[in-house]
Every structure is written in structure tokens, then in C-alpha cells.
Amino acid sequence: MSLFLLLVVILCAIQFHLGVLCDHRVVFQFGDSLSDAGNSLLAFPGLNGSGILGLPPYGETFFKRATGRVTDGRLVIDFLASGMGVPFLDPYLDKASANFVYGANFATAGATALSIRDFYGKRNIMPRRPTFSFDTQLQWFHSFQEQALMNGSTAYSVPNLRQFREALYVIGEIGGNDYAMLHGSGVDFLDIIKFFVPRVVHEIEETIRELYQAGARNFLVINVPIQGCNVRSLATTDWSKEEMDELGCLARFNEVGYRHKFLLERMVRKLRDELPGSAFATGDFLGITKKIFENYKHYGFTHRFEACCGIYNATTTVDCGESVFVNGARIQGPTCNDPSQYIFWNDNHFTEHFYEIVANAFLSGEFLDPPIFPKLSQTI
């Protein structure tokens, strides 16, 4: 079976009878920088915000131009959209020229599950760059849905009521920025495991419930990738052997991800029982990430814990796309010759080659549970 037909079967089975080609293929994406197709660049175009995402070398591999994606090319959601035979999802904030008939992408770089204003602001914990939290993305969706259903047609194409109910809602890898911010603020590791991971997962649950009340029925819920292997985490500090795990990564960072995965899967099982007519799949981003790190040469990578773009070490940090002065000299973050040889594009984001492997892992069913839905959502 071709990749296209396989993806059609998997995703359409969420919405329709198994094996029947979708008449209406609509997807809504929520998440962070691993899914952001340009919202952050549109919201914060200045260089003190997300402006570097609009400059080379971002997007060089596939688009041949910067699109606001934090990588050299396509993201997981882009490969999923291609497999469904639909255009890439336009970012929600691109209302001037976007076509939303196939859905919309609400993800934003740096997004947190817990509210920036109500949770982190009250604790004097702030992100490195301006961003939005999950509650803002949810507000965007409600505004988008209300306008679409009230007006029927606007300056841009939008889905209809039936398509909103048939759509696939991708609750993408959200939570990683929460854990990174908490680690960076000095919160104790055990407190993150005990108190904050459950709060993050609870926020995701409440968001899904609110989407369900708005008519959503079909969900793909994706956990966070392993974070203890990030280039910045490993390169900027001299860690002891006791702090590393079998991958050569930071054990306590990865334990947070494992706890998130466990609680997220438990939450999905509960929602399957409590939300009549709903259909859920879980995408194990953490699991496929771990497998890639363990067998990176098998997947065609030659560099495992080094970034293709940027400088990250104990003495110098120059983000991909940035140009900074170090000891009176201007340094430009360099780019490798072949991003497909690298797992990491920059300090904590991945290359297009990596995202393609992750997407195929979901499509094959190896890291998607269940791999093919046995029945459709009986809601229409």
C-alpha cells in the first residue's frame, strides 16, 4: 500500500467507515514549535520575537524560503496533510491570504499547556521569547469556528458545520515548553514529576473536553519527544555520568517525558469512556524519538546530538539564524551542508528528515494507538 493510501485509511477511519475515501478531509492542529507553520512569525515578526524564523536558512530544504517553521523544511503535520491529499494547513493568523477549507494550524512556537498569564506570570516565570499558551489557541479556534458558522463564507474559505464535526483534531506535542521553563526556573525535579506533570496533562484534558463540547469528535493526541537529549541541554553544562541515562542523555529530563506519556495515555483511556461518540488515537512521539536516538545510523543520520544550524557549547551560544557579537567579533550561526544527516536542526528542534520518519512511524501504526480505528464516530 502506498504511503498516501495508508494515510487515507488511517485518518479517514477516524471519521468514516474503514476503507472509504474521505469526502471531506479537514484537520485542526494545536501545539508548539514542533507544529507551528508560521503563527509565531506572524504574531512577533521583530527579531526580538520570532523574526529569525522569517530568515534563511530556515525552510531551505523543501520550501526554499523561510515560512516560520522552526526547521529546514516540513513538519510532521505537513507530511500528514500531504498523505491526506490536502494542502499544508495555513497558520490561523494568516487571515489575509490563507485558505482554511481544509482546516487550520493554531500551533505557536514556545507554546505552553499552562497559561502564561495566569500560571507562569503569577510565579514570575517567563518564556525566553514572547509566545501564546494553549488557552489562547483554544480562543482562536472558538473565534474561527464562530465566524465560519455564522457567516458561511468570508474573505477566506472555511469548513462547514459537518466538516467541523468530521475533522481530525491534532492535539500536538504540548507540554515540553512547560517542563523546560520549570527546569530553568529552578523548580525541583521531584516537584515537576509529582505536581506539574499532572497539571499539564489535566490542562490538555480540559482543552479536549472543551473542543468536544464545540463539536469535535476525532482526536489524535501526541506526547512530547525526549527532551534530555536536546543539544542545548547536553552541550552547555558539564554533566556527571550519574546524571545520564542509557542514551547518554539527561535522565531526570527524560523521566519527566516518561511520566507525561503515562499520564497522557491514561487520560485518553478515560476520555474514550466518558465522551460518547468520540474517537481517539495517541501518537507516541517520545517512543519514536527514543528509537531514532538508539538507532540513528539505521535511519540515515550521521550526527546524533549535534545541531545542523547554530553554535551551542559551554562558552558560546548563537541560535540558528542569529548574528551576534562575541568578544567584539560578529558571529553568524553556521549551517551544515546536509541537514538530512542531522537529527537536530538547532538546539532543540528537529530536521525535516527526522519529522518525516516520525510521520511515517505514526502512519505505519508502530507508534500510533490504535493503528487503525475499527469504527467511526457515530455523531452525525
Side-chain angles (χ1 to χ4, degrees):
M1 181 181 291
S2 70
L3 178 60
F4 167 74
L5 290 179
L6 178 61
L7 182 55
V8 167
V9 169
I10 291 174
L11 295 186
C12 292
I14 299 174
Q15 309 165 38
F16 305 97
H17 292 292
L18 182 63
V20 177
L21 188 66
C22 298
D23 292 323
H24 304 285
R25 296 183 293 274
V26 176
V27 181
F28 295 108
Q29 170 77 56
F30 302 83
D32 58 21
S33 55
L34 304 187
S35 321
D36 184 1
N39 282 314
S40 294
L41 177 60
L42 291 164
F44 308 110
L47 291 180
N48 62 334
S50 300
I52 59 173
L53 303 182
L55 301 173
Y58 291 93
E60 66 179 16
T61 296
F62 179 80
F63 298 100
K64 307 305 179 184
R65 61 181 179 84
T67 64
R69 291 166 173 82
V70 195
T71 184
D72 61 305
R74 291 163 289 183
L75 305 167
V76 171
I77 186 58
D78 296 318
F79 288 106
L80 296 183
S82 294
M84 293 181 70
V86 303
F88 299 146
L89 300 181
D90 284 323
Y92 165 74
L93 295 181
D94 185 18
K95 298 179 182 180
S97 59
N99 184 335
F100 293 121
V101 70
Y102 294 104
N105 189 322
F106 299 96
T108 55
T112 56
L114 301 173
S115 173
I116 294 290
R117 181 187 61 187
D118 296 333
F119 182 83
Y120 292 109
K122 293 178 180 178
R123 290 164 174 80
N124 294 318
I125 301 174
M126 297 305 295
R128 285 198 306 148
R129 288 193 173 98
T131 186
F132 301 101
S133 44
F134 217 179
D135 53 0
T136 298
Q137 295 182 29
L138 190 58
Q139 291 171 12
W140 288 349
F141 170 78
H142 287 315
S143 177
F144 175 81
Q145 184 183 45
E146 180 180 4
Q147 183 177 14
L149 299 183
M150 286 181 61
N151 298 343
S153 63
T154 63
Y156 47 84
S157 299
V158 293
N160 58 37
L161 176 60
R162 179 184 178 89
Q163 291 171 318
F164 272 103
R165 296 182 70 85
E166 293 173 345
L168 175 64
Y169 292 77
V170 183
I171 312 301
E173 53 320 279
I174 191 110
N177 290 307
D178 294 83
Y179 305 138
M181 288 172 60
L182 290 166
H183 280 302
S185 67
V187 175
D188 183 75
F189 159 69
L190 293 179
D191 286 338
I192 296 176
I193 289 284
K194 186 175 181 179
F195 299 111
F196 293 107
V197 176
R199 293 192 69 157
V200 166
V201 173
H202 176 73
E203 190 66 31
I204 296 171
E205 176 182 346
E206 290 302 301
T207 298
I208 292 174
R209 289 183 182 276
E210 189 167 337
L211 288 169
Y212 178 85
Q213 291 299 317
R217 292 296 182 267
N218 308 298
F219 299 92
L220 172 57
V221 184
I222 302 175
N223 60 32
V224 296
I226 286 179
Q227 291 186 292
C229 302
N230 290 350
V231 173
R232 188 186 294 264
S233 299
L234 293 177
T236 57
T237 303
D238 185 17
W239 303 99
S240 67
K241 291 183 178 180
E242 290 74 20
E243 295 176 284
M244 314 303 282
D245 62 13
E246 72 280 2
L247 289 173
C249 304
L250 290 169
R252 69 174 184 267
F253 282 37
N254 287 347
E255 284 300 319
V256 171
Y258 296 137
R259 182 62 176 168
H260 177 96
K261 167 182 161 67
F262 171 78
L263 293 181
L264 197 72
E265 291 173 350
R266 188 175 70 179
M267 177 267 289
V268 167
R269 290 194 296 269
K270 179 177 69 170
L271 291 181
R272 283 185 179 131
D273 294 334
E274 294 181 2
L275 301 181
S278 63
F280 282 88
T282 54
D284 189 5
F285 207 142
L286 185 148
I288 181 58
T289 303
K290 184 174 185 292
K291 185 176 181 180
I292 294 172
F293 282 133
E294 291 172 335
N295 306 280
Y296 68 102
K297 292 182 179 179
H298 169 77
Y299 290 101
F301 297 107
T302 57
H303 299 268
R304 184 164 59 155
F305 298 142
E306 301 86 32
C308 169
C309 183
I311 301 174
Y312 309 95
N313 56 52
T315 60
T316 304
T317 297
V318 182
D319 282 333
C320 177
E322 285 191 335
S323 178
V324 301
F325 281 98
V326 177
N327 296 325
R330 180 176 290 279
I331 297 179
Q332 182 79 33
T335 309
C336 67
N337 292 327
D338 184 1
S340 70
Q341 299 293 307
Y342 288 73
I343 291 176
F344 284 100
W345 167 245
N346 62 4
D347 59 332
N348 57 6
H349 299 90
F350 304 105
T351 59
E352 177 185 270
H353 182 198
F354 175 91
Y355 289 129
E356 183 176 17
I357 295 170
V358 172
N360 286 334
F362 292 164
L363 304 182
S364 70
E366 184 181 4
F367 289 90
L368 191 73
D369 180 34
I372 296 179
F373 287 85
K375 60 181 180 179
L376 77 164
S377 166
Q378 300 286 351
T379 60
I380 302 171

